[in-house]
Amino acid sequence: MRVRHTEAGAADVGALLARGIRDDNCREIRRVCSCDPVRALMDTVENADVKVASYVGDDLVALWGVRKKSILSSEAYVWLIASNALDDHWLTFAKESKRILARLQDSYPHLENFVDAGNDRIIGWLKWLGFHFDPEPIVSPLGHQLYRFWR
């Protein structure tokens, strides 16, 4: 099956919530900002400069996008919040993510964000995508270790 991308909207947020946010995404949201994952998802999508819903068949696997650091900046934060359906389509989506990233970097040559230091699967995927990591993790205000990644 192929991955189909659409501009994300309220219906896609509802579809992701109905399928369930992945546990590792919920844990990371709580460790980074100490906020409710549902509220974080809605705020992230609402404030994004680019917001995309990725489907495999009828399964919404992820909402992702970028938010520019400032109005005049080409630097941006890249983000992804996955549904539980991602496990069923991990390889398909991982392969597609390289193409997505190349397209994003045409408009945003510097992408960065933070990842929970204990999220080995996502860190491995980000490295496979060519992201670099700070050598030492930072400690969030809540006491959790996070790695900054960039490309």
Side-chain angles (χ1 to χ4, degrees):
M1 288 194 134
R2 293 184 38 140
V3 181
R4 175 176 51 90
H5 307 289
T6 63
E7 183 174 355
D12 301 299
V13 171
L16 191 136
L17 293 174
R19 190 66 156 105
I21 300 173
R22 287 179 48 87
D23 289 341
D24 54 357
N25 279 152
C26 288
R27 184 175 48 256
E28 187 168 294
I29 290 166
R30 287 188 179 104
R31 288 181 173 182
V32 171
C33 66
S34 183
C35 55
D36 174 57
V38 172
R39 181 80 251 157
L41 170 64
M42 294 186 327
D43 290 347
T44 299
V45 172
E46 182 178 317
N47 294 311
D49 294 297
V50 174
K51 45 192 159 201
V52 178
S54 294
Y55 288 84
V56 177
D58 292 332
D59 281 334
L60 174 62
V61 294
L63 296 176
W64 57 270
V66 296
R67 189 186 85 226
K68 291 192 295 188
K69 286 187 170 186
S70 72
I71 286 177
L72 300 176
S73 179
S74 63
E75 295 182 345
Y77 296 104
V78 62
W79 57 269
L80 180 139
I81 300 176
S83 79
N84 289 320
L86 183 62
D87 285 337
D88 297 335
H89 306 287
W90 176 254
L91 187 57
T92 300
F93 185 77
K95 289 177 184 176
E96 175 72 1
S97 62
K98 279 199 172 193
R99 192 179 72 75
I100 292 167
L101 185 60
R103 198 171 71 204
L104 278 177
Q105 289 211 277
D106 288 342
S107 299
Y108 305 97
H110 178 86
L111 297 170
E112 70 175 79
N113 213 328
F114 292 87
V115 62
D116 183 345
N119 200 338
D120 294 334
R121 182 177 189 191
I122 300 304
I123 290 170
W125 173 61
L126 289 167
K127 286 180 178 179
W128 179 74
L129 287 171
F131 281 96
H132 304 281
F133 288 78
D134 285 347
E136 297 296 323
I138 65 162
V139 177
S140 76
L142 302 171
H144 300 286
Q145 292 189 338
L146 308 169
Y147 281 108
R148 184 177 77 92
F149 63 91
W150 76 95
R151 181 179 149 154

